[in-house]
Amino acid sequence: MGEEVLLRARGVRKSFGNVEVLKGIDLDVRQGQVVSLIGASGSGKTTFLRCVNLLEEHDGGEILLDGDPIGYRMEGGKRRRLSEAKVSAQRARIGMVFQQFNLFPHLTAEGNIMLGLTKVLGKGAAEARDIAGHWLERVGLAERRGYYPYQLSGGQQQRVAIARAVAMQPRLLLFDEVTSALDPELVAEVLGVMQKLAESGMTMLLVSHEMLFVRDVSDRVVFLDGGQVAQAGPPKEVFGNPESERLRSFLGRMHGIFGQIA
């Protein structure tokens, strides 16, 4: 694993009205790392991911990808929003897979993957089709390339969504509770794809309530509490030696598996 810091967040703040959701988040993700964000609902996990991917505008602090500030530049001591063209170019370097699959219903599995390759990366149809086929095979859906979303199970749709994100060759891949909308029997197939991506060296920042998976796949785990980093470290340290009652209580509520994790 390289030592290069791919994603660096310093003092990231975000409010919605009078509610401060992120209260100064500091976080590093190194090249090839898998970093998992855990915490109770409302702790700021998804909001932070959305700030990284420019789906939300953070109010303060700085987020850098490859040393390049995301969304803004500091000029004369003030933050200035980048042009939409530059923001789009930055967003293309970050892939994101959502809780809901967000597939286009009028496009096949292959078509959903090809769309970004042709419209954003400017690839020809033949090349985009080859890339789509490659990634559909990688996620175990080569025989479903001509199927529409309504013809696929939830787990299959999520695997298409993952293939679509990875096909764009992002520098960083974000996962936001990607198994939460799935029936329990479909969770394993999606987690299996994510496990293989992690093993291949993909840099990943993920939010998940699948604690056993987080323990097994992560290089680093970050526990958010009330919009702040309450504890961070290797999985063995975070799960085996929780420093606060809040973390111990959170782990104890996660399907009663605290004993298994520790």
Side-chain angles (χ1 to χ4, degrees):
M1 183 183 302
E3 292 300 314
E4 173 193 359
V5 176
L6 178 64
L7 179 74
R8 171 163 287 161
R10 291 293 180 268
V12 176
R13 295 182 174 275
K14 174 65 181 178
S15 296
F16 294 100
N18 295 325
V19 179
E20 190 175 26
V21 178
L22 301 179
K23 302 177 182 178
I25 300 292
D26 294 341
L27 183 146
D28 286 347
V29 180
R30 296 184 179 276
Q31 180 72 42
Q33 270 191 329
V34 177
V35 176
S36 296
L37 304 180
I38 65 172
S41 177
S43 60
K45 307 181 303 295
T46 292
T47 297
F48 181 74
L49 285 193
R50 291 176 63 86
C51 288
V52 170
N53 202 34
L54 299 169
L55 295 174
E56 298 284 356
E57 297 187 8
H58 53 289
D59 301 321
E62 193 171 47
I63 304 174
L64 301 99
L65 183 70
D66 284 320
D68 187 21
I70 291 177
Y72 301 90
R73 286 286 187 277
M74 294 300 296
E75 296 179 4
K78 295 183 179 180
R79 292 197 318 156
R80 299 198 181 277
R81 173 86 171 176
L82 295 176
S83 69
E84 286 307 309
K86 290 182 179 178
V87 167
S88 295
Q90 288 184 332
R91 189 178 282 124
R93 294 156 61 194
I94 304 171
M96 188 163 182
V97 185
F98 301 86
Q99 296 179 32
Q100 303 299 327
F101 322 124
N102 290 2
L103 298 178
F104 292 103
H106 65 290
L107 296 177
T108 62
E110 179 183 74
N112 267 278
I113 299 171
M114 289 178 61
L115 185 64
L117 294 170
T118 56
K119 298 298 185 182
V120 178
L121 299 186
K123 295 185 180 297
E127 182 182 6
R129 187 170 291 108
D130 286 344
I131 294 172
H134 167 77
W135 283 108
L136 283 170
E137 183 174 1
R138 287 283 299 273
V139 300
L141 292 174
E143 77 286 358
R144 298 287 194 271
R145 63 191 302 161
Y147 283 49
Y148 289 89
Y150 76 90
Q151 297 173 306
L152 301 172
S153 70
Q156 290 171 337
Q157 290 185 62
Q158 194 60 287
R159 283 188 279 158
V160 172
I162 292 172
R164 177 178 60 182
V166 180
M168 297 293 287
Q169 296 186 304
R171 293 283 287 147
L172 174 68
L173 194 54
L174 310 177
F175 292 89
D176 182 21
E177 294 279 19
V178 297
T179 60
S180 64
L182 300 178
D183 293 332
E185 63 268 22
L186 301 178
V187 169
E189 65 186 58
V190 174
L191 295 182
V193 171
M194 293 171 65
Q195 178 84 46
K196 290 179 181 178
L197 287 176
E199 292 170 354
S200 74
M202 173 66 69
T203 308
M204 297 161 55
L205 178 61
L206 61 95
V207 170
S208 179
H209 64 273
E210 301 288 344
M211 291 295 107
L212 296 178
F213 174 74
V214 166
R215 179 199 63 184
D216 292 342
V217 78
S218 304
D219 296 295
R220 190 170 178 82
V221 177
V222 179
F223 173 56
L224 295 186
D225 184 33
Q228 297 177 306
V229 175
Q231 186 173 342
K236 185 176 181 180
E237 176 185 310
V238 173
F239 292 136
N241 186 31
E243 296 174 353
S244 67
E245 182 57 36
R246 288 282 293 170
L247 177 53
R248 182 173 292 276
S249 174
F250 169 76
L251 293 173
R253 292 196 306 271
M254 298 308 294
H255 310 299
I257 60 174
F258 178 66
Q260 298 180 52
I261 293 174

